[in-house]
Amino acid sequence: MLLQVTPASRPLLASSNVPAIISRMGAQYDCRTRAAVMMFPCDIGRLPLWETESFMTSELVKDFFYTHTARLKGTSSDHLLSEVFANADRYSLVHLAPRLARIPLYMIGGTKDYYAPPALNCAPLKEAIEKESGSGGSLFYQEFPAGHYGAESRGEISRSILSFLTRYYS
């Protein structure tokens, strides 16, 4: 699930899930990004920490890698997982905090999200942004009663994103 609105000024970057990591990381280097929406972020850079913090989450994410990356050509699930472990520090969303603390950010977590539980994925980034900005800056955080894809609360989530976009994108 990746939504990226990119007119010439790159006013908004909205992304979620593992494939959007490149977009989120790219946003920190593009000064034209004025606001961001992160839906159910999965901080795969923290995967090695999950081995001790939440073994169930660690195994679910590894299983996701094995079942969803099988169709990739030129690599393997094992190779991708070893790359994540070798580069975990660079891949962690927490390192985006200095840039994200300077722009309005709407981060959405799901209380039923077993792949990316907010306590393991949203909370570390939220804390890093609050530390960086002193007060949380323009960070808006909300949890919905939804799983990783947000299906259970799709209407409510859509309305909340529209409200955020109306305020920071118009």
Side-chain angles (χ1 to χ4, degrees):
M1 184 178 352
L2 170 64
L3 166 65
Q4 189 171 359
V5 181
T6 57
S9 64
R10 288 194 193 270
L12 171 75
L13 172 72
S15 58
S16 67
N17 293 337
V18 176
I21 290 169
I22 295 169
S23 296
R24 288 193 297 254
M25 291 184 147
Q28 76 172 325
Y29 299 111
D30 191 338
C31 62
R32 297 172 298 177
T33 302
R34 295 190 336 232
V37 176
M38 297 176 83
M39 297 169 51
F40 315 106
C42 182
D43 191 349
I44 64 166
R46 293 182 48 80
L47 183 56
L49 298 174
W50 296 343
E51 298 275 320
T52 56
E53 290 177 354
S54 175
F55 184 73
M56 183 184 85
T57 298
S58 173
E59 291 303 305
L60 281 171
V61 172
K62 287 178 188 176
D63 181 63
F64 180 87
F65 266 83
Y66 284 114
T67 57
H68 289 80
T69 60
R71 62 182 170 264
L72 295 176
K73 305 289 186 227
T75 190
S76 69
S77 300
D78 288 326
H79 179 76
L80 290 173
L81 278 171
S82 67
E83 182 178 336
V84 167
F85 274 77
N87 297 287
D89 200 42
R90 290 185 325 146
Y91 289 169
S92 178
L93 296 176
V94 172
H95 297 291
L96 301 179
R99 169 69 179 123
L100 293 176
R102 295 190 302 256
I103 63 173
L105 171 64
Y106 182 34
M107 187 175 0
I108 298 170
T111 59
K112 299 176 184 178
D113 188 345
Y114 299 111
Y115 282 105
L120 299 176
N121 291 275
C122 299
L125 178 57
K126 181 178 178 288
E127 291 167 10
I129 289 172
E130 289 169 346
K131 181 178 178 184
E132 187 72 31
S133 68
S135 65
S138 296
L139 171 66
F140 305 93
Y141 178 73
Q142 190 168 0
E143 288 184 9
F144 291 90
H148 193 58
Y149 300 104
E152 302 91 330
S153 301
R154 186 169 290 145
E156 189 178 357
I157 292 168
S158 297
R159 285 187 292 280
S160 72
I161 292 172
L162 182 59
S163 175
F164 177 84
L165 294 177
T166 300
R167 183 172 179 186
Y168 291 102
Y169 184 61
S170 57

